[in-house]
């Protein structure tokens, strides 16, 4: 596990965008695993600028998103579908992009098909991750056990509270989500974890301490052979 310390959010975003661009240079047909949340917004903005300047090309690349609220309409400006369209998908030339369907009638089949699709396309080359304040990755919440594959999950109260800032009220935050499982994330060939701000100090500290526990799902990354953490000073503490 490698830790890159950045002075602030902007440097973290730039460093991450350059690593994604590097991945696409080395392997233009990469499969990217992408995250939503406030943390990667700066990285997506840099990637869009690099694309507009002709410095990065997504034309052979495919993207799979980590997660989506369930149920949620694609048109809702709080859906991760809307978020990805706004920050990246409508602005670059990705060959194809996939997000779990928050409107699926049969969410179980949706999860199964999502895993099959990722496998068919050769699995994820580079997975971008943020961290929840409670240590979640994707929407893999702390608990007694962790799921391997894409699944439907109940959000914890702390995640509902943390994410309420994006909604008009706490009551509007969906109580469930579809998320890639820990197995899908761990199968990625390389993982890039971004952390910015004081509220990521605790989960980052737990990850760096090296003790693996389902009570802090991010700690499982200690078992992955190729993880790069890009964190700003506030998150490192
Ligand atoms: C959200 C998402 C995660 C994200 C995390 C951190 O709930 N499901 O994929 O990484 O929480 O979000 P933020 O970057 O807004 O702090």
């Amino acid at each position: 596990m490698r830790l890159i310390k950045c002075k602030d959010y902007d440097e973290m975003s730039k460093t991450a965008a350059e690593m994604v661009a590097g991945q696409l240079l080395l392997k233009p047909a990469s499969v990217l695993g992408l995250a939503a949340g406030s943390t990667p917004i700066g990285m997506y903005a840099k990637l869009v600028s690099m694309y507009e300047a002709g410095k990065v090309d997504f034309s052979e690349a495919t993207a799979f998103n980590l997660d989506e609220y369930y149920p949620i309409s694609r048109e809702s400006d709080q859906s991760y579908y809307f978020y990805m369209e706004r920050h990246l998908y409508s602005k670059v030339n990705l060959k194809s992009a996939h997000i779990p369907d928050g409107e699926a009638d049969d969410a179980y089949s949706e999860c199964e098909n999502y895993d099959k699709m990722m496998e068919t396309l050769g699995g994820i080359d580079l997975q971008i991750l943020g961290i929840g304040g409670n240590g979640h990755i994707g929407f893999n919440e702390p608990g007694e056990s962790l799921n391997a594959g894409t699944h439907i999950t109940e959000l914890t109260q702390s995640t509902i509270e943390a994410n309420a800032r994006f909604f008009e009220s706490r009551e509007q935050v969906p109580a469930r989500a579809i998320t890639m499982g820990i197995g899908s994330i761990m199968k990625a060939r390389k993982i890039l974890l971004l952390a910015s701000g004081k509220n990521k100090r605790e989960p980052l500290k737990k990850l760096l301490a090296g003790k693996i526990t389902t009570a802090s799902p991010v700690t499982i990354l200690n078992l992955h052979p190729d993880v790069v953490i890009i964190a700003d000073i506030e998150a490192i503490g």
Side-chain angles (χ1 to χ4, degrees), residues 132-136 141-142 155-164 170:
N134 65 0
H136 74 215
E141 296 279 40
L155 302 187
T156 60
Q157 285 310 311
S158 75
T159 296
I160 291 175
E161 271 152 36
N163 290 7
R170 190 181 180 285

Side-chain angles (χ1 to χ4, degrees), residues 35-40 66-67 69 80 129-133 136-139 159 163 165-166 199-200:
S38 50
T39 311
L66 267 174
D67 48 16
Y69 292 108
Y80 286 167
L129 292 178
I131 338 173
H136 74 215
I137 46 178
F139 271 129
T159 296
N163 290 7
R165 69 191 194 276
F166 301 113
N199 63 336
K200 302 302 164 71

Side-chain angles (χ1 to χ4, degrees), residues 46-138:
K46 304 266 177 208
L47 280 170
V48 170
S49 310
M50 289 167 89
Y51 167 71
E52 286 168 350
K55 291 184 185 153
V56 63
D57 175 32
F58 294 84
S59 63
E60 291 180 48
T62 303
F64 281 93
N65 257 78
L66 267 174
D67 48 16
E68 176 61 285
Y69 292 108
Y70 186 79
I72 199 160
S73 145
R74 285 183 166 200
E75 277 76 50
S76 159
D77 56 6
Q78 302 310 334
S79 73
Y80 286 167
Y81 178 89
F82 192 95
Y83 168 106
M84 290 311 300
E85 282 292 320
R86 175 197 285 166
H87 294 295
L88 191 73
Y89 294 162
S90 65
K91 297 183 172 165
V92 300
N93 61 341
L94 270 157
K95 184 176 169 196
S96 67
H98 309 270
I99 305 183
D101 184 1
E103 297 182 67
D105 290 331
D106 181 350
Y108 294 96
S109 305
E110 173 62 17
C111 294
E112 226 173 90
N113 292 337
Y114 204 67
D115 282 339
K116 276 190 198 140
M117 220 174 3
M118 275 191 285
E119 251 176 68
T120 308
L121 289 169
I124 292 170
D125 291 299
L126 177 65
Q127 176 67 56
I128 306 295
L129 292 178
I131 338 173
N134 65 0
H136 74 215
I137 46 178

